[in-house]
């Protein structure tokens, strides 16, 4: 009778898989066994599986640490095996399957997967990393009040690029350590595509802020853009690096996004003084070329200030 | 040589004459002159000192508001005490105040009628010898002779320009003429030999109001005085001519009143600067003292013209954006006095259509006073690629109505040539 025995890790990853066409399988640490496990908590002759013509039955050979079913404390001795049963012996686990055990539907290689793989193409990857470095350098140049030469902004830009490469490399490392495919180039490729998309979203946000008045909700809505980008990036990082269910992947991505933005928000909140004499306002400026909005009149601006006066009146009453 | 000797002799003789006069004046008036101390109740020690002088037989004493301000603001925490020339001590009660002219009336208990300072009915003539009395640095009562130099013109509230040393601690002391009548009250100094006095008629008005009217409590007096003051100030500012002056290629308003003074600066001499910056600053060079952490009544206007030199448009805008985010209010105020600023912004074009600005307006409300605010306005032109005009003002202690009228006028005035 055919039987498939998998050695699985505690994280339910398959370590080895064997198929037998026999009625008797012995498992233990000694070399004469059919399945040899090196776990020191397993006896040289630990257990056997016997086929009695109808069923496979587990027989523990009076091992020191015993054999148990699944995660529980129920002894596996004498158990009639069903396909998919997990038996714990020592600190190891085996899973027993029969040939008719169902498998999940095959996943077609989606265009999406191709898209992700496209980002690791050397040309695409180099282009994205270079683009990121150039934009970083250019912003550094824009913000420096003095005339600076090329190397003075290329060096910090390269440094920032290296710092940003730590994230994809880190994930690849974690994937590798958890016995997944590291896919380091794919992680790097996807991350730098999204870093560049963040510049685009930053720019859009600036344009909207510059054009909208404090009355407009659009500027607030624009903050959703970087949050969504971060979520998608984290989701893709998990998709590339780990084999987990869609639900779990979404939960991980949502958690990371919350950690990033919630953490940043909390840090800002903790730094905020109890009372500040400095006015907080939006001073976003761009060149006239990016000004697309209609101007308000002075009267409209003064009218709008009524709301502001009401707000501070309320604040003055509250704290009295 | 003879001439010089003559002048020296003449100077010597007037000097001795003045000193003798001063001595006589001091002897005669000393019993009506007090040191006023604000005593912190918890520690029992004095937290500030000043001078005061009796102006009625029944014990009304005049002093500066700023001498007794901590008591006026926190009556539970402090008490007011006087010490006379015989070192007798006693408590004083607060009757009324004038925050705008920095005056206060306090009262001591008297058993019998006492001598007092008479308030002059007429102002001195320019050049007249007058005598300032007071208690500088806690050293004991002194008399300082000096000259009346008329009213200070660059001041919205009337102040006498006195040539003589008014030192700290002399605040609240009287300034008398040769007839020992009060012509002013010591209030401030501006360095060597330049002192400022509150004119006597302000004290007369305050005393008459106290005698004739039922006065509201101190907080309400302060409220109505601050409200009236800002109303008068803003009305005068808005009714005065607003003249447009060149600032680079921009036109900015200056208000043609003597109490607003302007200063200018530029970096035209700096060859390596990445942009040309021309700056004009106009301000009302006085403010109202409420307490040591709270000033109001100040107005500052600032204009900057910027022109890029060998800069791309984007870098030019990016660089001066950093300048405008550092705006601060012009007056000192604490958490107990004001709320935090709330701000609004928009792209605004005035009726003249001469300029298109990103305009920012912020305000904070006073917690103890109704309808008084500090406001702050900042506008940056966004219609030229290589030039920018920044216009800015802060105005402290104005009503909503005043703030809005002033802001409107200001916004409509700034433009390009």
């Amino acid at each position: 009778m055919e039987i498939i025995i998998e050695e699985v890790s505690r994280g339910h990853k398959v370590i080895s898989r064997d198929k037998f066409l026999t009625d008797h399988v012995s498992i233990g640490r000694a070399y004469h066994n059919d399945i040899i496990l090196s776990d020191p908590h397993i006896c040289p002759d630990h257990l056997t599986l016997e086929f009695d013509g109808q069923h496979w039955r587990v027989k523990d050979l009076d091992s020191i640490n015993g054999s148990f079913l699944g995660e529980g404390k129920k002894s596996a001795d004498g158990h009639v095996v069903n396909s998919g049963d997990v038996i714990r012996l020592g600190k190891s686990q085996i899973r027993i399957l029969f040939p008719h055990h169902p498998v999940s539907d095959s996943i077609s290689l989606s265009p999406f997967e191709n898209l992700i793989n496209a980002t690791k193409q050397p040309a695409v990857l180099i282009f994205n990393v270079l683009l990121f470095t150039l934009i970083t350098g250019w912003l550094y140049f824009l913000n420096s009040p003095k005339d600076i030469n090329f190397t003075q902004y290329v060096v910090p830009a390269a440094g920032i690029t290296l710092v940003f490469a730590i994230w994809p490399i880190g994930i690849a490392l974690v994937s590798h350590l958890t016995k997944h495919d590291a896919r380091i180039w794919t992680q790097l490729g996807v991350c730098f595509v999204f870093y560049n998309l963040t510049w685009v979203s930053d720019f859009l946000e600036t344009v909207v802020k510059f054009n909208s008045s404090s009355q407009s909700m659009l500027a607030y809505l624009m903050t959703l853009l970087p949050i969504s980008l971060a979520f998608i990036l984290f989701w893709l990082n998990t998709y590339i690096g780990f084999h987990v269910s869609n639900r779990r992947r979404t939960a991980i991505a949502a958690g990371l996004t919350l950690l990033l933005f919630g953490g940043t928000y909390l840090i800002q909140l903790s730094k905020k003084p109890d009372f500040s004499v400095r006015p907080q306002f939006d001073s976003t400026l761009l060149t006239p070329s990016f000004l697309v909005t209609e101007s308000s009149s002075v009267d409209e601006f003064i009218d709008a200030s009524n709301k502001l006066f009401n707000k501070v009146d309320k604040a003055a009453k509250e704290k009295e | 040589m003879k001439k010089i000797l003559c002048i020296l002799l003449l100077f010597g003789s007037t000097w001795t004459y003045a000193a003798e006069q001063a001595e006589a004046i001091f002897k005669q008036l000393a019993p009506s002159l007090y040191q006023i101390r604000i005593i912190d109740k918890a520690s029992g020690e004095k937290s500030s000192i000043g001078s005061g002088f009796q102006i009625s037989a029944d014990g009304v004493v005049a002093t500066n508001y700023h001498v007794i301000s901590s008591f006026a603001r926190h009556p539970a925490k402090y008490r007011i005490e006087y010490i006379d020339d015989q070192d007798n001590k006693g408590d004083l009660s607060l009757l009324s105040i004038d925050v705008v002219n920095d005056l206060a009336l306090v009262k001591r208990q008297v058993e019998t009628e006492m001598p007092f300072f008479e308030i002059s009915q007429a102002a001195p003539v320019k050049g007249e010898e007058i005598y300032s009395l007071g208690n500088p640095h806690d050293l004991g009562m002194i008399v300082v002779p000096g000259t009346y130099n008329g009213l200070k013109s660059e001041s919205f509230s009337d102040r006498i320009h006195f040539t003589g040393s008014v030192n700290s601690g002399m605040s609240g002391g009287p300034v008398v003429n040769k007839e020992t009548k009060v012509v002013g009250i010591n209030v401030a100094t501006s360095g060597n030999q330049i002192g400022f006095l509150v004119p006597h008629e302000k004290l007369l008005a305050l005393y008459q109001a106290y005698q004739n009217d039922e006065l509201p409590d101190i907080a309400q007096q302060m409220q109505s005085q601050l409200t009236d003051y800002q109303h008068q100030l803003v009305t005068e500012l808005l009714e005065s001519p607003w003249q447009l002056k060149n600032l680079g290629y921009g036109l900015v308003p200056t208000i043609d009143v003597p109490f607003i003074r302007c200063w200018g600066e530029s970096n035209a001499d700096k060859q390596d600067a990445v942009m040309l910056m021309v700056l004009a600053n106009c301000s009302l060079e006085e403010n109202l003292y409420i307490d040591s952490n709270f000033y109001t009544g100040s107005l500052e206007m600032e204009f900057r013209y910027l022109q890029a030199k060998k800069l791309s448009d984007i870098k030019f805008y990016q660089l001066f954006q950093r300048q405008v985010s550092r705006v601060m209010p012009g007056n000192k105020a604490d958490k107990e006095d004001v709320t935090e600023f709330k701000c609004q912004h928009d792209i605004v074009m005035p009726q003249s259509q001469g300029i298109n600005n990103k305009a920012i307006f912020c305000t904070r409300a006073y917690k103890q006073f109704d309808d008084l605010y500090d406001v702050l306005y900042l506008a940056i032109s966004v219609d030229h690629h290589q030039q920018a005009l920044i216009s800015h003002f802060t105005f402290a202690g104005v009503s909503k109505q005043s703030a809005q009228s002033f802001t409107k006028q200001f916004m409509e005035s700034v433009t390009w040539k």
Side-chain angles (χ1 to χ4, degrees), chain B residues 209-241:
Chain B
Y210 159 69
Q211 282 178 312
N212 303 334
D213 308 328
E214 192 70 28
L215 288 173
D217 68 26
I218 300 294
Q220 275 170 300
Q221 289 180 29
M222 221 184 276
Q223 165 89 57
S224 63
Q225 288 160 9
L226 291 175
T227 306
D228 291 348
Y229 174 80
Q230 63 84 28
H231 181 72
Q232 282 168 24
L233 177 62
V234 174
T235 309
E236 184 162 348
L237 288 176
L238 292 181
E239 282 171 359
S240 303

Side-chain angles (χ1 to χ4, degrees), chain B residues 104-177:
Chain B
L105 296 180
V106 289
K107 193 167 193 293
R108 61 164 288 191
Q109 294 292 326
V110 289
E111 271 83 54
T112 53
E113 291 215 335
M114 287 186 60
F116 59 90
F117 281 86
E118 254 183 68
I119 303 171
S120 171
Q121 293 298 323
V125 289
K126 205 160 185 175
E128 190 177 324
E129 188 98 25
I130 51 178
Y131 306 89
S132 166
L133 306 166
N135 188 354
H137 306 299
D138 207 7
L139 293 170
M141 285 292 172
I142 60 154
V143 54
V144 178
T147 318
Y148 177 85
N149 267 304
L151 292 178
K152 186 185 173 200
S153 59
E154 311 83 26
S155 170
F156 180 66
S157 309
D158 292 340
R159 290 288 182 271
I160 294 169
H161 176 193
F162 172 74
T163 312
S165 313
V166 175
N167 291 300
S168 67
M170 286 178 79
S171 286
V175 180
V176 296
N177 57 20

Side-chain angles (χ1 to χ4, degrees), chain A residues 198 201-202 205 222-234 253-269:
Chain A
T198 315
S201 101
D202 262 9
E205 213 179 325
M222 285 306 283
T223 50
L224 290 177
L225 205 58
I227 296 178
S228 345
L229 277 178
F231 174 80
I232 298 171
L233 174 62
F234 292 144
L256 283 172
T257 314
L258 192 72
L259 194 72
L260 180 68
F261 288 90
T264 317
Y265 177 73
L266 279 181
I267 289 169
Q268 279 175 351
L269 205 66

Side-chain angles (χ1 to χ4, degrees), chain B residues 223-375:
Chain B
Q223 165 89 57
S224 63
Q225 288 160 9
L226 291 175
T227 306
D228 291 348
Y229 174 80
Q230 63 84 28
H231 181 72
Q232 282 168 24
L233 177 62
V234 174
T235 309
E236 184 162 348
L237 288 176
L238 292 181
E239 282 171 359
S240 303
W242 287 47
Q243 285 170 349
L244 293 182
K245 292 219 167 133
N246 290 338
L247 190 77
Y249 283 96
L251 284 175
V252 299
T254 53
I255 309 173
D256 200 11
V257 283
F259 50 88
I260 301 266
R261 300 218 288 164
C262 297
W263 306 90
E265 210 188 333
S266 82
N267 68 348
D269 57 327
K270 294 231 169 71
Q271 292 301 320
D272 59 340
V274 290
M275 58 175 104
L276 169 75
M277 185 167 79
V278 187
L279 189 145
N281 183 310
C282 296
S283 62
L284 174 69
E285 287 178 344
E286 59 191 285
N287 48 25
L288 298 184
Y289 175 98
I290 307 282
D291 69 36
S292 56
N293 291 315
F294 189 17
Y295 289 76
T296 184
S298 56
L299 168 63
E300 276 176 50
M301 293 177 275
E302 195 181 288
F303 307 97
R304 271 168 206 237
Y305 168 75
L306 303 169
Q307 186 167 7
K309 292 197 276 189
K310 287 184 282 176
L311 275 182
S312 68
D313 296 2
I314 292 181
K315 179 153 185 179
F316 175 58
Y317 272 82
Q318 185 74 16
L319 280 186
F320 80 78
Q321 175 180 338
R322 283 147 44 109
Q323 291 189 6
V324 300
S325 58
R326 290 192 287 244
V327 176
M328 289 285 276
N331 61 322
K332 202 168 155 187
D334 244 350
K335 194 187 166 186
E336 299 140 37
D337 312 312
V338 291
T339 64
E340 289 194 327
F341 274 106
K342 298 267 183 219
C343 300
Q344 68 174 44
H345 63 89
D346 202 353
I347 303 287
V348 184
M349 188 183 275
Q351 265 176 345
S352 67
Q353 304 203 331
I355 195 166
N356 202 13
N357 281 322
K358 170 155 185 159
I360 296 154
F361 179 79
C362 302
T363 180
R364 62 182 181 192
Y366 286 13
K367 286 184 177 174
Q368 282 105 345
F369 305 113
D370 290 333
D371 195 28
L372 286 176
Y373 307 87
D374 290 340
V375 293

Side-chain angles (χ1 to χ4, degrees), chain A residues 141 143-144 212-214 274 276 282-286 289 295-296 299 301 304-306 312-313 320, chain B residues 315 317-318 321-322 335 340 343-349 356 358 363 367 373 385 400 404 408 411:
Chain A
F141 160 76
N143 279 306
S144 80
S212 62
S213 81
S214 46
D274 181 32
S276 169
D282 175 72
S283 60
T284 310
L285 281 179
L286 280 173
S289 322
S295 305
S296 305
D299 286 329
F301 186 73
S305 76
N306 285 326
V312 288
D313 276 342
E320 252 172 38
Chain B
K315 179 153 185 179
Y317 272 82
Q318 185 74 16
Q321 175 180 338
R322 283 147 44 109
K335 194 187 166 186
E340 289 194 327
C343 300
Q344 68 174 44
H345 63 89
D346 202 353
I347 303 287
V348 184
M349 188 183 275
N356 202 13
K358 170 155 185 159
T363 180
K367 286 184 177 174
Y373 307 87
H385 290 266
K400 178 176 152 186
Q404 289 181 330
K408 183 176 155 67
M411 288 175 82

